[in-house]
């Protein structure tokens, strides 16, 4: 069982940066690959990035590669999403999630545990 709480969202101008955090509770955080997803109004929840249990491997949506970086600190039970060069189309609610599958999982239904989401709004 894993409980997840996101933080770090907010309003930022285009071209700016934000770092999202996801704090996890539970004894087996390091047993899970972790992912970030986002959902804009009127759109389906979409994959952003994922990271393996140890943090040694990552997986990104192609369009976001180079701007977004996922990382984790297992000692602190926390996963991060560093977002740089933000664009208006990045505006969405961002969710962290945990999966017992590999970090290559990219589908919503492959993740068993979810945070409540944190809103990121990018203004022009």
């Amino acid at each position: 069982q894993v409980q997840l709480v996101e933080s770090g969202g907010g309003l930022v101008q285009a071209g700016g940066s934000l770092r999202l955090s996801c704090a996890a509770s539970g004894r087996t955080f390091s047993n899970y690959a972790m992912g970030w997803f986002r959902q804009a109004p009127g759109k389906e929840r979409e994959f952003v990035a994922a990271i393996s249990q140890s943090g040694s491997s990552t997986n990104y949506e192609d369009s976001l590669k180079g701007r977004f970086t996922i990382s984790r600190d297992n000692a602190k039970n926390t996963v991060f999403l560093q977002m740089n060069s933000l664009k208006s189309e990045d505006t969405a609610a961002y969710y962290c999630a945990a999966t017992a599958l590999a970090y290559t999982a990219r589908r919503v239904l492959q993740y068993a545990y979810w945070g409540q989401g944190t809103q990121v709004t990018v203004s022009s």
Side-chain angles (χ1 to χ4, degrees):
Q1 185 74 265
V2 178
Q3 293 175 301
L4 306 171
V5 180
E6 302 97 332
S7 62
L11 177 65
V12 63
Q13 290 191 335
S17 298
L18 281 176
R19 188 170 86 151
L20 306 183
S21 298
C22 177
S25 62
R27 291 165 50 86
T28 57
F29 173 71
S30 62
N31 290 346
Y32 295 90
M34 300 294 297
W36 285 97
F37 292 75
R38 67 185 185 183
Q39 187 168 24
K43 297 183 179 180
E44 295 185 353
R45 193 166 299 185
E46 65 179 0
F47 175 77
V48 173
I51 189 167
S52 62
Q53 295 172 356
S54 67
S56 62
S57 299
T58 56
N59 179 24
Y60 296 95
E61 175 63 34
D62 286 343
S63 64
L64 304 177
K65 193 175 299 182
R67 292 197 298 120
F68 287 16
T69 303
I70 188 171
S71 61
R72 69 190 294 165
D73 185 341
N74 287 348
K76 297 181 178 179
N77 281 15
T78 304
V79 62
F80 305 95
L81 183 68
Q82 178 68 45
M83 305 185 294
N84 298 327
S85 301
L86 284 163
K87 306 173 181 179
S88 59
E89 53 261 45
D90 296 320
T91 295
Y94 283 72
Y95 300 85
C96 66
T99 179
L101 303 174
Y103 73 100
T104 50
R106 301 169 66 92
R107 298 186 181 276
V108 168
L109 291 177
Q110 293 179 300
Y111 287 76
Y113 305 102
W114 293 84
Q116 82 290 347
T118 185
Q119 180 67 36
V120 172
T121 302
V122 183
S123 63
S124 303

